[in-house]
Amino acid sequence: NAGVTQTPKFQVLKTGQSMTLQCAQDMNHNSMYWYRQDPGMGLRLIYYSASEGTTDKGEVPNGYNVSRLNKREFSLRLESAAPSQTSVYFCASIQDLGSRPQYFGPGTRLTVT
Amino acid sequence: RKEVEQDPGPFNVPEGATVAFNCTYSNSASQSFFWYRQDCRKEPKLLMSVYSSGNEDGRFTAQLNRASQYISLLIRDSKLSDSATYLCVVNYGGATNKLIFGTGTLLAVQP
């Protein structure tokens, strides 16, 4: 099993450009999450999907949209990138909701100039 | 006040030393607790869950004090390979399985 995979690994965008970060998991997990990690801030939840067909906002959703394409895939879209969105983005998944840990993908390092 | 607070460190310790990290959380309704390890420029990986009775995994011991809203991680006989950032993570449970992350404590084990 590959676990949680993310593409691309690195990306540089100019202000105003758009892009989609892809995430896929092969563990048959129901719930998936997108986080961003910034120095001194810890990981912050952007959006999550409790199950296929549902998505909800997390702590910092502004400037992002998500799509739960199917059970395996959960994408994050930046419609008009801003320098404040320079960060490392992690996708995570878990079998179902409950008090269990999440498993993370390797991350996407995004720089917006 | 941050929801999960940790001493950022760095903790510089010699090989073989015992080191302890502490973490406090603000939400008394928190239901589950974890320690994650994050290596430089890598994703967080689960180190261990933290149970009310305390639990041990090899050289690692985790403790939870619900009354004081306090979690700890003890590492005995530190190895060079233990050098990493240790994240304290709290789960509020409920409908979202939402994790709240501390900013992490950096450990550097010196030869």
Side-chain angles (χ1 to χ4, degrees), chain A residues 10 33 35 37 40-45 48 50 59 90 94 96-107 109, chain B residues 2-3 31-32 34 36 38 40-46 49 87 91 93-103:
Chain A
F10 302 93
Y33 303 78
Y35 294 89
Q37 186 175 35
M41 299 289 290
L43 279 93
R44 292 182 292 169
L45 182 64
Y48 67 97
E59 182 184 356
F90 289 104
I94 189 171
D96 54 26
L97 296 178
S99 299
R100 298 179 190 176
Q102 297 173 359
Y103 297 91
F104 286 80
R109 298 185 178 279
Chain B
K2 290 183 181 176
E3 293 180 274
Q31 296 190 7
S32 56
F34 310 97
Y36 276 72
Q38 187 171 25
C40 187
R41 305 178 74 82
K42 299 285 189 181
E43 72 273 23
K45 291 185 178 178
L46 178 68
S49 301
L87 305 174
N91 187 328
T96 66
N97 196 38
K98 183 179 167 185
L99 296 185
I100 307 297
F101 288 80
T103 54

Side-chain angles (χ1 to χ4, degrees), chain B:
Chain B
R1 183 186 171 190
K2 290 183 181 176
E3 293 180 274
V4 178
E5 294 205 63
Q6 296 181 250
D7 181 343
F11 283 59
N12 295 300
V13 303
E15 271 186 291
T18 295
V19 60
F21 305 139
N22 302 319
C23 168
T24 57
Y25 59 95
S26 61
N27 188 335
S28 59
S30 300
Q31 296 190 7
S32 56
F33 310 88
F34 310 97
W35 283 102
Y36 276 72
R37 171 192 168 128
Q38 187 171 25
D39 292 290
C40 187
R41 305 178 74 82
K42 299 285 189 181
E43 72 273 23
K45 291 185 178 178
L46 178 68
L47 178 67
M48 58 195 303
S49 301
V50 186
Y51 302 117
S52 296
S53 55
N55 49 297
E56 189 173 304
D57 183 1
R59 297 181 292 108
F60 299 85
T61 300
Q63 297 278 353
L64 168 64
N65 184 322
R66 283 189 183 270
S68 300
Q69 295 178 207
Y70 171 96
I71 306 160
S72 66
L73 177 68
L74 183 77
I75 305 175
R76 291 180 300 276
D77 189 21
S78 299
K79 311 289 185 193
L80 293 175
S81 57
D82 293 334
S83 297
T85 297
Y86 290 83
L87 305 174
C88 175
V89 185
V90 173
N91 187 328
Y92 287 175
T96 66
N97 196 38
K98 183 179 167 185
L99 296 185
I100 307 297
F101 288 80
T103 54
T105 298
L106 178 62
L107 172 65
V109 181
Q110 315 288 345

Side-chain angles (χ1 to χ4, degrees), chain A residues 31-35 45-51 54-59 66 68 74 92 97 102, chain B residues 95-98:
Chain A
S31 302
M32 298 183 73
Y33 303 78
W34 275 106
Y35 294 89
L45 182 64
I46 305 171
Y47 271 93
Y48 67 97
S49 171
S51 61
T54 69
T55 61
D56 285 286
K57 294 178 181 179
E59 182 184 356
V66 290
R68 184 74 183 268
F74 188 37
L97 296 178
Q102 297 173 359
Chain B
T96 66
N97 196 38
K98 183 179 167 185

